[in-house]
């Protein structure tokens, strides 16, 4: 038996890079060794960027990178570099911008051709092994790019020069002197609502993404204006998603996106960052609407994460793959006969009717579970009480889940990424605030310990950790997301250590990333390797931008500490992106949320109780279920005040020895209140 070929990627820790360690392609990881080889051999660089849960990345690997003839072409004509976009988001951001400038679109796998000086001159995304649907074959692209590099070097230099100029122009925002008022949030929500799909929920047509930050902005617009359609668009969308195939009805959690507009057929990978943002959105929909359905979905998301995505040390893993047994979605789909065999005839028939399981199937002759019949309708159809239908379906889901657990599972990428861990830590802190359940606090505290012990080293943050090895200097969004997360944990537990660490992270973030000359935050710090440009991203895509997160962190830290330095940077950032928010609200939804926080100013809630938070549950619990997007909360025992109390909460006495709350807003504080109804009225007063 021939010895299996192994390339340089076998030395890496990234699961995505290790997936390619046995390709016949002579892959390099990103680094000096590859660039030295390109200069020595006078070859262009083929840069391929993807991630472990990416279905089309697997397809291109199988079709092209495992193909001996194509690999030979790649090795003969190029120096080939493979990058995990999750491990190196700095590279992904730069070169994705270039691909979008060249082609008008982007995606993964991303294929970019560079000079040995790392400057791009041609690129695209997925290329098939032979010409297909009007797309050139990968071999043809390889030969054409190599020929152009050898025979038309002036053209290549000119193209690279234009792309470099385009990159430089992306970060030339100008400070605006227009008002920074909350009316911009309402206008932005109105503009975004024009893309709303009233039939299936969501924005636009297929493919359809959750667009979490947009719907969170809609809830803010509802809170600001009282206009019911903003709430209705959000709750309708979230219900449709939770009833659709994009949601895992057996195991909890959401898949990446839907390829159709009905939320039926997803790309089956599950991303930590999607679920980290969706759980708080469902919690806020519960708070704003009072409908416990949304709370149940949020808790199902977190049950999934706790079960599948928490490492033994407490950090959160990154992704779960779409593929298993060589097929996309195989782990998640069902045959009708299999369902009936497991559940029995009666329960199987009811389950199949509710979840659209048929002999013909709704996905490649199998079935993606999605709700097509409400429990009340099923009760009438099968002449049973709704409560009995509810119990039957819950039992059926559990039995099918147990059977599914015995199937070969999709691969899991066990990298722990700082920024994504920040988003998920915030979700658990929010769930603890909404429910008071210690299980959520325990997971959040475990993640916090992991971050401080494994990702925080010598007063600087590291971006990722895998197999006990932490590497790559932290990026802007790592610092900002974690500063927010520790603030969230502080406002849920009132443990002063969490506030102190949030300030430590923010201090390092400002020191390392703030552009004192032009304003805004750079994505990389001064000790990062020198790339072809140093960007200041403010585009909110599937994950929040670093500048949006940094802005929110600064505003919230100012609200807690009253440190004017935070506010000065926040105001400068808001002015820098004020016009962009108005011109393209879809790309700046979290920036707009931060503007809402700034313009309306947070309600500052101080609660004092004998025993601190443990003695204040009668106010803290309903407060945690109340929708108030702009607030700061602190609770303590006035007989034993902590060493550090936020300015708005200082010197607040108990009334008649009862748990007492004070609401401060715009530098004025309310009289003390001791009942929830009165506290709620104070919170809702302008």
């Amino acid at each position: 038996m021939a010895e299996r070929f192994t390339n340089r990627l076998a030395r890496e820790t990234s699961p995505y890079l290790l997936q390619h360690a046995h390709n016949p392609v002579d892959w390099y990881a990103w680094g000096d060794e590859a660039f030295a080889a390109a200069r020595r051999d006078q070859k262009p660089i083929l840069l391929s960027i993807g991630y472990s849960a990416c279905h089309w990345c697997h397809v291109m690997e199988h079709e092209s990178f495992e193909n001996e003839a194509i690999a030979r072409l790649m090795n003969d004509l190029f120096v080939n570099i493979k990058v995990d976009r999750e491990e190196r988001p700095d590279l992904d951001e730069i070169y994705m911008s270039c691909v979008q400038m060249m082609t008008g679109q982007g995606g993964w796998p991303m294929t970019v051709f560079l000079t040995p000086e790392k400057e791009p001159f041609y690129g695209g995304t997925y290329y098939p092994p032979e010409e297909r649907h009007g797309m050139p074959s990968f071999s043809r692209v390889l030969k054409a790019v190599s020929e152009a590099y050898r025979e038309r070097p002036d053209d290549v230099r000119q193209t690279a020069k234009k792309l470099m100029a385009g990159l430089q122009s992306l970060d030339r925002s100008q400070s605006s002197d227009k008002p920074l008022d909350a009316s911009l949030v309402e206008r932005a929500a109105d503009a975004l609502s024009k893309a709303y799909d009233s039939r299936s929920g969501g924005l636009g047509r297929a493919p359809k993404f959750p667009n979490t930050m947009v719907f969170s902005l809609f809830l803010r617009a509802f809170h600001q204006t009282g206009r019911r359609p903003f709430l209705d668009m959000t709750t309708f969308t979230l219900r449709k998603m939770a009833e659709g195939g994009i949601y895992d009805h057996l195991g909890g959690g959401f898949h990446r996106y839907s390829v159709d507009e009905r939320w039926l057929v997803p790309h089956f990978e599950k991303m930590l960052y999607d679920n980290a943002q969706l759980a708080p959105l469902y919690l806020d929909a519960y708070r704003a609407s009072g409908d416990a359905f949304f709370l149940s979905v949020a808790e199902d998301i977190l049950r999934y994460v706790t079960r599948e995505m928490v490492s033994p040390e407490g950090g959160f893993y990154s992704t779960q793959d779409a593929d298993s047994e060589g097929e996309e979605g195989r782990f998640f789909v069902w045959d009708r006969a299999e369902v009936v065999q497991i559940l029995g005839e009666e329960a199987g028939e009811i389950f199949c009717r509710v979840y659209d399981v048929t002999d013909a199937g709704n996905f490649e002759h199998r079935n993606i579970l999605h709700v097509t019949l409400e429990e009340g309708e099923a009760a009438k159809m099968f002449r049973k009480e709704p409560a009995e239908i509810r119990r039957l379906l819950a039992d059926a889901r559990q039995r099918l889940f147990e059977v599914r657990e015995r199937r070969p599972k999709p691969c899991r990428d066990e990298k722990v990424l700082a920024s994504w861990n920040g988003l998920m830590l915030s979700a658990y802190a929010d769930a603890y605030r909404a429910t008071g359940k210690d299980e959520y606090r325990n997971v959040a505290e475990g993640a916090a310990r992991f971050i401080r012990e494994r990702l925080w080293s010598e007063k600087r943050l590291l971006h990722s950790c895998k197999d006990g090895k932490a590497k790559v200097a932290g990026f802007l969004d790592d610092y900002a997301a974690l500063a927010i997360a520790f603030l969230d944990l502080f406002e849920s537990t009132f443990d002063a250590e969490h506030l102190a660490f949030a300030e430590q992270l923010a201090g390092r973030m400002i020191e390392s990333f703030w552009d004192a000359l032009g304003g805004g935050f750079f994505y990389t710090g001064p000790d990062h390797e020198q790339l072809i440009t140093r960007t200041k991203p403010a585009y909110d895509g599937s994950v929040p931008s670093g500048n949006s997160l940094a802005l929110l962190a600064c505003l919230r830290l100012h609200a807690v500490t009253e440190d004017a330095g935070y506010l000065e940077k926040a105001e400068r950032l808001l002015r820098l992106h004020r016009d962009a928010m108005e011109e393209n609200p879809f790309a700046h939804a979290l920036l707009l949320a931060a503007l809402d926080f700034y313009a309306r100013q947070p309600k500052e809630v101080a609660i004092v109780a004998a025993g601190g938070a443990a003695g204040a549950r009668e106010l803290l619990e309903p407060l945690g279920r109340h929708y108030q997007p702009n607030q700061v909360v602190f609770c303590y025992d006035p007989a034993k005040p902590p060493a550090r109390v936020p300015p708005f909460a200082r010197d607040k006495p108990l009334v008649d020895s009862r748990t007492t709350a004070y609401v401060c807003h715009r530098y004025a504080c309310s009289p003390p209140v001791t009942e929830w109804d009165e506290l709620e009225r104070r919170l809702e007063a302008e």
Side-chain angles (χ1 to χ4, degrees):
M1 185 175 177
E3 186 176 346
R4 194 180 183 195
F5 178 82
T6 301
N7 59 49
R8 295 174 189 82
L9 299 185
R11 304 193 294 247
E12 300 298 312
T13 57
S14 158
Y16 177 66
L17 298 186
L18 290 171
Q19 286 171 4
H20 294 78
H22 299 290
N23 296 163
V25 178
D26 190 17
W27 290 115
Y28 288 81
W30 180 274
D32 292 340
E33 184 184 7
F35 303 118
R39 290 190 295 270
R40 181 192 67 225
D41 299 339
Q42 298 184 334
K43 287 181 179 179
I45 291 163
L46 188 161
L47 173 64
S48 177
I49 300 180
Y51 58 101
S52 66
C54 166
H55 171 68
W56 285 101
C57 298
H58 298 326
V59 171
M60 191 165 178
E61 179 190 15
H62 177 68
E63 292 178 339
S64 294
F65 304 149
E66 293 177 350
N67 182 303
E68 296 278 356
I70 292 176
R72 195 175 305 114
L73 263 181
M74 293 172 66
N75 296 337
D76 289 345
L77 301 178
F78 300 92
V79 169
N80 303 288
I81 298 178
K82 176 61 75 174
V83 164
D84 180 344
R85 69 173 286 255
E86 296 168 358
E87 193 171 72
R88 293 299 304 267
D90 53 333
L91 300 175
D92 182 65
E93 186 215 358
I94 289 171
Y95 293 109
M96 181 62 75
S97 295
C98 295
V99 169
Q100 289 169 334
M101 282 189 277
M102 284 185 273
T103 68
Q105 58 187 12
W108 299 275
M110 176 167 45
T111 309
V112 197
F113 297 93
L114 319 178
T115 68
E117 291 71 43
K118 310 175 190 175
E119 294 181 347
F121 62 91
Y122 188 75
T125 53
Y126 163 80
Y127 291 105
E130 59 275 319
E131 296 192 17
R132 186 188 302 159
H133 306 305
M135 301 172 67
S137 70
F138 192 39
S139 298
R140 180 179 160 193
V141 170
L142 295 172
K143 292 172 185 175
V145 170
S146 176
E147 180 185 343
Y149 185 81
R150 291 193 318 270
E151 299 182 9
R152 299 191 298 281
D154 289 343
D155 292 346
V156 168
R157 277 193 293 271
Q158 281 299 111
T159 300
K161 186 177 179 180
K162 288 178 182 175
L163 285 168
M164 290 298 296
L167 276 178
Q168 300 299 330
S169 71
L170 291 177
D171 293 324
R172 289 181 182 165
S173 299
Q174 297 295 317
S175 184
S176 172
D177 59 2
K178 294 178 183 176
L180 295 173
D181 59 54
S183 66
L184 179 55
V185 174
E186 183 181 6
R187 295 198 304 275
D190 275 328
L192 290 166
S193 69
K194 291 179 172 58
Y196 176 68
D197 177 1
S198 59
R199 172 178 287 185
S200 300
L203 301 181
R205 303 295 178 224
K208 193 171 276 184
F209 290 80
N211 297 131
T212 311
M213 284 172 272
V214 170
F215 286 99
S216 181
L217 191 70
F218 282 178
L219 288 181
R220 284 177 173 272
F222 164 68
H223 185 268
Q224 178 197 133
T225 67
R227 290 170 55 188
R228 183 81 190 190
F230 289 129
L231 175 63
D232 292 342
M233 285 187 287
T234 303
T235 55
F236 183 74
T237 295
L238 294 184
R239 187 174 289 276
K240 284 292 187 182
M241 285 174 54
E243 291 174 347
I246 192 174
Y247 183 63
D248 181 355
H249 293 271
L250 302 184
F254 283 86
H255 300 294
R256 178 70 193 92
Y257 66 92
S258 174
V259 301
D260 62 284
E261 63 189 48
R262 296 188 298 131
W263 307 107
L264 172 59
V265 180
H267 260 306
F268 287 92
E269 63 264 35
K270 288 184 180 179
M271 315 298 291
L272 186 73
Y273 62 76
D274 283 321
N275 288 287
Q277 294 174 89
L278 281 163
L281 178 58
Y282 274 88
L283 288 171
D284 278 346
Y286 159 64
R287 293 178 175 116
S289 70
D291 189 336
F293 169 80
F294 300 108
L295 174 63
S296 70
V297 176
E299 293 203 84
D300 275 350
I301 292 171
L302 297 181
R303 272 192 285 271
Y304 151 70
V305 174
T306 302
R307 185 184 69 245
E308 300 282 350
M309 303 297 282
V310 179
S311 74
E313 297 84 9
F316 299 108
Y317 296 138
S318 298
T319 62
Q320 281 187 313
D321 210 332
D323 299 5
S324 60
E325 301 181 76
E327 294 181 32
E328 184 184 14
R330 180 68 188 91
F331 181 76
F332 300 99
V333 296
W334 295 87
D335 296 319
R336 189 181 188 282
E338 182 183 15
V339 170
V340 173
Q341 181 183 15
I342 294 165
L343 300 180
E345 285 293 335
E346 183 185 35
E349 176 64 28
I350 294 171
F351 184 89
C352 288
R353 184 65 186 83
V354 170
Y355 286 96
D356 189 33
V357 179
T358 65
D359 290 325
N362 55 35
F363 175 72
E364 297 180 357
H365 309 297
R366 293 192 176 100
N367 294 276
I368 299 169
L369 302 183
H370 71 120
V371 176
T372 56
L373 194 67
E374 293 181 359
E375 289 177 355
E377 295 171 326
K380 290 179 183 177
M381 179 178 288
F382 292 99
R383 298 180 181 178
K384 294 181 181 293
E385 291 297 317
E388 185 180 356
I389 291 289
R390 195 173 304 118
R391 284 193 300 271
L392 182 150
L393 292 174
D395 177 68
R397 287 193 299 269
Q398 180 61 31
R399 290 165 67 187
L400 291 173
F401 171 76
E402 291 169 0
V403 170
R404 196 181 76 175
E405 282 292 281
R406 298 196 286 270
R407 294 176 177 176
K409 285 193 172 185
C411 291
R412 180 174 61 194
D413 188 325
E414 297 186 352
K415 284 195 311 296
V416 176
L417 300 173
S419 57
W420 297 6
N421 269 245
L423 296 175
M424 187 54 82
L425 199 164
S426 287
Y428 274 89
D430 194 26
Y432 175 62
R433 192 166 64 85
T435 67
K437 294 181 179 178
D438 286 336
E439 62 195 85
Y440 300 134
R441 176 176 181 167
N442 292 340
V443 174
E445 296 277 16
R449 281 192 298 274
F450 177 91
I451 288 156
R452 298 188 69 161
E453 292 172 5
R454 298 297 183 89
L455 294 179
W456 182 249
S457 175
E458 299 177 357
K459 295 189 177 180
R460 72 185 189 114
L461 200 56
L462 296 170
H463 170 63
S464 67
C465 183
K466 174 71 169 61
D467 298 333
K469 298 176 184 177
K471 61 180 185 178
V472 183
F475 301 105
L476 171 62
D477 54 353
D478 294 321
Y479 283 87
L482 283 171
I484 291 170
F486 278 85
L487 266 177
D488 287 333
L489 197 50
F490 165 67
E491 288 194 20
S492 300
T493 65
F494 311 108
D495 183 335
E497 283 191 7
H498 297 318
L499 174 59
F501 191 57
E503 289 189 273
Q504 200 171 1
L505 287 164
R508 182 66 191 232
M509 176 183 79
I510 291 168
E511 175 190 333
S512 299
F513 300 91
W514 179 253
D515 180 5
L517 185 63
F521 288 92
F522 290 112
Y523 190 58
T524 54
D527 55 349
H528 196 76
E529 72 167 289
Q530 189 170 350
L531 302 176
I532 58 174
T533 189
R534 195 178 179 201
T535 63
K536 291 190 285 186
Y539 180 100
D540 296 320
S542 56
V543 293
S545 73
N547 271 278
S548 297
L549 289 166
L551 168 59
L552 203 52
C554 286
L555 286 170
R556 289 185 56 191
L557 278 166
H558 172 259
V560 174
T561 67
E562 295 186 6
D563 183 331
Y566 293 127
L567 184 61
E568 181 270 327
K569 287 172 178 60
E571 287 180 334
R572 196 169 174 191
L573 251 177
L574 284 166
R575 296 217 167 273
L576 200 61
H577 298 290
R578 166 44 181 97
D579 293 344
M581 284 188 260
E582 187 160 36
E583 291 163 9
N584 188 359
F586 181 79
H588 300 96
L590 190 63
L591 277 171
L592 284 157
L595 172 62
D596 181 59
F597 187 97
Y598 170 83
R600 290 203 282 156
Q601 295 189 27
K603 298 290 178 73
E604 299 163 334
V605 184
I607 299 178
V608 289
R617 300 318 304 176
E618 71 266 32
L619 292 184
L620 285 174
E621 288 181 2
L623 180 64
R625 296 190 295 269
H626 178 73
Y627 182 63
Q628 173 59 257
N630 301 320
Q631 72 178 15
V632 182
V633 182
F634 188 68
C635 179
Y636 68 104
D637 184 342
K640 302 174 184 176
R644 187 174 180 195
V645 177
F648 67 85
R650 290 174 190 157
D651 304 319
K652 297 292 191 286
L654 295 171
V655 172
D656 298 330
S657 301
R658 299 177 63 188
T659 298
T660 307
Y662 300 80
V663 178
C664 303
H665 188 228
R666 299 187 189 275
Y667 312 106
C669 292
S670 72
V673 298
T674 57
E675 300 290 341
W676 166 247
D677 289 347
E678 183 60 27
L679 175 56
E680 185 177 29
R681 280 193 290 274
R682 298 285 183 188
L683 289 169
E684 291 305 313
E686 284 302 319

